[in-house]
Every structure is written in structure tokens, then in C-alpha cells.
Amino acid sequence: MSAIQNNVEAASAEYSASFDKGHLALPPAKKYLVVTCMDARIDPARAFGIELGDAHVIRNAGGSAADALRSIVISQQLLATKEIVLVKHTGCGMLTFEHKDAVAVVKNNLGEKAVTELSEKVPNFLAFPDLDKAVVEDVDYLKKSNLVPEDVAISGWVYDVESGKTRRVV
Amino acid sequence: MSAIQNNVEAASAEYSASFDKGHLALPPAKKYLVVTCMDARIDPARAFGIELGDAHVIRNAGGSAADALRSIVISQQLLATKEIVLVKHTGCGMLTFEHKDAVAVVKNNLGEKAVTELSEKVPNFLAFPDLDKAVVEDVDYLKKSNLVPEDVAISGWVYDVESGKTRRVV
């Protein structure tokens, strides 16, 4: 057992000892979903006010709408969510490189076989150079998709990792 | 502004008022990442003991390793994480349907254009019929991938949405 694995077991023992939410239903009670970044500095539940059971929370590198599309369709079509809150954040790693830079790192660290697998499975790292613009573009992507019903409300936000504030962009 | 959007603004005001973690660095302090499901009944920070700034948290429908691969490569190659904790959960929606069922729902609700877009962007909904087996298969997928360095520790777990407990599978 690694220190991190031990930590999961310790957290589980503590959390389950006072856990009283075992009755919650599968579909999100407030019928919405959040898409945000995997960044370690974001706690979506507290920062965005999500009570346990309220909303699906989809997280990936950059809070990419395209990368989240499979999950969004499942959330909406099978579990009846009706609204999307998309939140990117200041200081995001995705602002710091371009796709080709990351491919070069993979090639250097993991070799040619990894680059071949990458081209099949991760054709685009989905980095972005402008934060607010990326929020607008991702909201547009979802609004234009035939896979997102027209009556779904979609808002785009930026979370500030230095202040803990979330600002509406679109 | 919808009620959900108002809730984000209210949560932001409350959270930022006492926020004192603005100094955290971009790379996760404990150098690990968690892959888990988007399910509304999971609070990874509390259930798995993740302090703000410690770990990347990737969430998608089912806690799929394949779906998370782009984020995992970025986390490891650009932000130096060294361990993966993968957690699926009891009562997961992904246990309740097959790919073709979800495609039929999309066709019925959203029409032929949506099905065409689906075939391009979401070729597989990645549902699974057996929970523990899916955990084992996802850990194997990552262990066999050329995109995940051999020295990365990978563990697989199941979170019980009724008890709040997290159990190690592999």
C-alpha cells in the first residue's frame, strides 16, 4: 500500500462513519451538470455550491466541452439533466502549451510507441491560448451541437484560483 | 439568470469570503490523480480524502480510464503526477444500459442528425455490465498503455453510494 492508497482507506473510514446520504437517487436532484477542469486547486462542491446528489460533475484537463461530450449526452438523455454550467479557471495548465509541445514531451519521455498510441487515442490535447475566449467557444460548441437539446440552458464561467471567486463570462 | 446560475454566484460569494488557498501551486502537491465517475452522489474531496491542491480529479460517466486518457497524459507528462487512483461506484448508471440502447434514446429524442454527430464524436458510450470487472479492466488498460509510464502506481476501487465506503478492488 502506498501512502496515497493508505490515505484513501483512512478517508473512507472517517467519511463513512458519519455518512447519512445513502438514500440519494441516481438522477441529479437539481437536474444540472457542471463541466470543469481537473485542476487540483478546484473544489467544485464548495466553490460552485453543489450539494451531494444535486448535479453531475464532469472534470477533465481544461474543462473541455468536446472531451466531456459523451458524459454530457448520458447525463441529459439518460438522467434528465437540463442545464450546463461550464467553468474554466485562471492559471490553467492548458494555457501554457500547444499540442505539438505536449507531443514532443511524450516522444521524449515515453518514446515512439507512445506517440503512435497518442495519435490514435488522443489526437488533440485541446490546449487553448485565451481563457475567456475558450469559455465562449466551448459554450458555442455545445449550443451548436445536435447532441445538446435547444432548451438546455448553458452558462460559461471563470474560477479564479487566487481569490476563490467564480465570474460569469457568457 | 436561472436558479442554478444564481446558486453559483451565491456560492462564489460565500466561498471566496473566507478563501485562503490562493497561494497553491499548479502541479498537484501530492503528485497523484483520481479518476472517478461524474455521479452526483460522489464528493471525491471528502470521500477519498483529497485536500485542496493535492491531486488532479478527472470525472466522466462511469469513471472511464479510456475517456480520461488525454487528461491522464497531461497530468503525468506536464504536471508530474506519479500515481493513479481509479474509483467506480455501486449503482452506476453505466451498469444499466448498453451502447445501442443509448443510441436509440438519442435517435428518439434528438433525431437523425444527432445520431450522425454521435457516430463521429461519441463512437462508444463505454457502458459496462460488471462493476468489479470494469475496475480491473480499466486498471489493466492503463497498465498496458504505452502512454502511462511503468513506474506509475495504479489502484482500482469501488465507492459504495449507500454506505459512503470505498473498497479496494485491485
Side-chain angles (χ1 to χ4, degrees), chain A residues 154-167:
Chain A
I154 310 174
S155 55
W157 310 70
V158 165
Y159 173 73
D160 185 323
V161 295
E162 293 184 357
S163 70
K165 283 183 188 163
T166 304
R167 166 177 63 83

Side-chain angles (χ1 to χ4, degrees), chain B residues 2-128:
Chain B
S2 72
I4 284 159
Q5 291 156 9
N6 280 327
N7 181 60
V8 175
E9 297 222 322
S12 170
E14 186 181 337
Y15 184 69
S16 62
S18 60
F19 186 74
D20 61 358
K21 303 284 187 188
H23 61 284
L24 293 171
L26 170 57
K30 291 197 176 165
K31 298 185 187 302
Y32 73 109
L33 69 88
V34 174
V35 178
T36 194
C37 187
M38 68 178 178
D39 193 285
R41 296 165 295 178
I42 304 174
D43 182 342
R46 294 182 204 174
F48 313 144
I50 311 166
E51 294 292 323
L52 202 69
D54 276 1
H56 284 140
V57 181
I58 302 163
R59 300 182 66 176
N60 62 48
S64 160
D67 190 278
L69 193 60
R70 179 185 66 92
S71 300
I72 291 171
V73 173
I74 290 168
S75 176
Q76 294 180 337
Q77 296 306 316
L78 299 179
L79 292 162
T81 60
K82 303 287 184 196
E83 180 159 350
I84 300 173
V85 172
L86 184 139
V87 192
K88 296 185 190 279
H89 66 97
T90 62
C92 186
M94 306 306 286
L95 293 159
T96 65
F97 69 92
E98 292 180 26
H99 178 71
K100 66 179 186 327
D101 306 325
V103 174
V105 171
V106 168
K107 185 175 179 178
N108 185 60
N109 290 354
L110 302 173
E112 282 293 351
K113 273 190 187 172
V115 174
T116 302
E117 188 175 333
L118 192 71
S119 65
E120 292 162 7
K121 297 180 180 171
V122 185
N124 191 338
F125 276 114
L126 303 173
F128 47 81

Side-chain angles (χ1 to χ4, degrees), chain A residues 114-127:
Chain A
V115 173
T116 302
E117 189 175 334
L118 192 72
S119 66
E120 292 162 8
K121 297 180 180 172
V122 185
N124 192 338
F125 277 115
L126 304 173

